[in-house]
Amino acid sequence: MSAIASGIGWHLVGAASAASFYAPISKVRQWSWETTWAFAGLFSWILLPWIITSLLIDDFGSFYSVVDSKAFWGMFLFGAMWGVGNVNYGLTMRYLGMSLGIGIAIGVTLVVGTLMPPILRGEFGHLLTTSSGQITLLGVAVALVGIGIVTYAGHQKEKALGTTTKEFNLKKGLFLAVMCGIFSSGFAFGLEAAAPIKQASLDLGINPLYAMLPSYGIIMGGGALVNMAYCFVRLAVLPELSLRNDLAQPARGLLINGALAATGGIMWYLQFFFYAWGEASIPEHLSFVNWMLHMSGYVLCGGIVGLLLAEWRGVGARPVRILCIGMLVIVGAANLVGMGMA
């Protein structure tokens, strides 16, 4: 039971990093979003995954040579799928606003990324017919309810502050949010495909806490390809954007912007660094709950970060109460999942 509790705890640490990563990025000045996102991604999707892997493995060639090429392509393509979800994420916010967009997208990502792996492995029937599986699935359902409550609270906050999107389009926004949720779950599928690399890491004697990390460079490489292409095509095509102008600032401004974007990128990577620690503590036959714990923890920690940063100041007591109720429901969901695994 202590291992399960520590696994849930590490997932929350990773979720807190994910919920906070955009804070330093939002402070970047006089850079386009595309330049900022690409620079942050250089650290989160390319440099850190391979730097950490190089610290764990001495000989890349012999290590990766034992992994079937199908596993490589599976991880890379699922990573690219997740990258497409990232691109859709911004469009979802455009048509639904932050709260509704995030809530629906994360809800779909949670369901698809959590339930599809056991369904594809033919294990879903076992979950439905055992008490532990039923309690765990109930925890997943309760997490969705909690996300819905937090999403509603966020929507009430936007209305109170007058920040609802001007281009609100429910039909288009819902379609994009569902597509974002489905494609974003590609990361969960990539982690499933990474089982051979995890086993190779364990065979090499790597600590189980770090066994999943050598797969991240491949999974995130697929996402990096899509995200970087999106950013640099926009920088090259749109006349109002210019990479040259972004980089033409004085050295001090470049240093500050670079440090802020890099910090955001590092924090983004750390969510999955600690995800690996959490995943290592969860029983193998219930590995599907790792994604649920991460995504629901993301919403929970996002609400806490918003309160700490005074984003809810001036909205009145009712939306804050609804937010707190939603966060308590998510905490209850995590406890249900823990009970089911125990």
Side-chain angles (χ1 to χ4, degrees):
M1 185 64 183
S2 61
I4 292 172
S6 67
I8 294 174
W10 287 124
H11 277 303
L12 286 176
V13 172
S17 185
S20 308
F21 91 98
Y22 207 78
I25 289 177
S26 66
K27 297 184 183 301
V28 172
R29 298 291 180 264
Q30 296 181 312
W31 272 10
S32 64
W33 179 89
E34 287 77 6
T35 298
T36 305
W37 192 246
F39 193 80
L42 176 65
F43 283 84
S44 59
W45 307 321
I46 300 173
L47 293 180
L48 273 175
W50 289 111
I51 289 173
I52 296 297
T53 300
S54 69
L55 295 175
L56 296 171
I57 299 169
D58 294 325
D59 186 350
F60 279 23
S62 62
F63 176 81
Y64 288 109
S65 65
V66 302
V67 181
D68 189 277
S69 61
K70 290 183 179 178
F72 274 106
W73 281 111
M75 288 183 286
F76 185 82
L77 292 175
F78 280 131
M81 174 183 170
W82 160 77
V84 173
N86 273 2
V87 172
N88 272 311
Y89 190 77
L91 294 174
T92 300
M93 304 307 109
R94 177 178 177 180
Y95 293 114
L96 288 183
M98 287 292 290
S99 296
L100 278 179
I102 291 174
I104 295 171
I106 287 184
V108 174
T109 302
L110 185 149
V111 171
V112 176
T114 300
L115 299 184
M116 282 305 296
I119 290 174
L120 294 175
R121 291 197 302 262
E123 300 173 355
F124 194 69
H126 177 73
L127 295 173
L128 291 174
T129 55
T130 61
S131 58
S132 62
Q134 291 167 359
I135 294 172
T136 303
L137 289 175
L138 177 61
V140 174
V142 172
L144 280 175
V145 173
I147 290 173
I149 295 172
V150 171
T151 300
Y152 177 72
H155 189 53
Q156 294 301 301
K157 181 190 78 169
E158 289 180 351
K159 289 174 63 177
L161 297 178
T163 56
T164 50
T165 178
K166 296 178 180 178
E167 297 181 85
F168 186 84
N169 186 315
L170 183 62
K171 186 176 180 180
K172 187 182 293 186
L174 284 175
F175 173 78
L176 288 168
V178 171
M179 289 299 100
C180 171
I182 292 173
F183 279 97
S184 294
S185 65
F187 205 101
F189 299 145
L191 294 172
E192 284 283 311
I197 285 187
K198 178 182 177 182
Q199 187 58 52
S201 299
L202 295 172
D203 293 343
L204 195 62
I206 293 175
N207 188 312
L209 292 176
Y210 306 104
M212 188 64 79
L213 298 182
S215 68
Y216 283 4
I218 303 167
I219 300 172
M220 294 178 185
L225 178 65
V226 173
N227 278 269
M228 293 292 190
Y230 176 76
C231 289
F232 285 112
V233 166
R234 286 178 60 85
L235 285 166
V237 171
L238 298 181
E240 65 269 24
L241 302 178
S242 171
L243 178 61
R244 179 177 296 179
N245 290 342
D246 288 344
L247 300 181
Q249 295 182 33
R252 184 173 182 274
L254 288 175
L255 183 63
I256 292 173
N257 281 350
L260 289 169
T263 299
I266 292 169
M267 292 172 67
W268 189 97
Y269 172 80
L270 287 177
Q271 71 170 304
F272 287 114
F273 181 91
F274 290 111
Y275 181 100
W277 284 25
E279 183 266 350
S281 302
I282 301 297
E284 186 69 28
H285 69 287
L286 291 172
S287 60
F288 73 97
V289 302
N290 287 299
W291 192 248
M292 168 264 161
L293 290 169
H294 179 71
M295 297 310 298
S296 57
Y298 188 174
V299 175
L300 170 65
C301 295
I304 294 172
V305 169
L307 288 173
L308 292 175
L309 295 179
E311 293 178 357
W312 293 74
R313 183 180 297 165
V315 303
R318 185 172 180 272
V320 175
R321 282 199 301 268
I322 296 172
L323 172 69
C324 292
I325 291 170
M327 292 193 295
L328 287 174
V329 171
I330 292 173
V331 171
N335 279 277
L336 278 173
V337 168
M339 289 170 58
M341 289 189 291

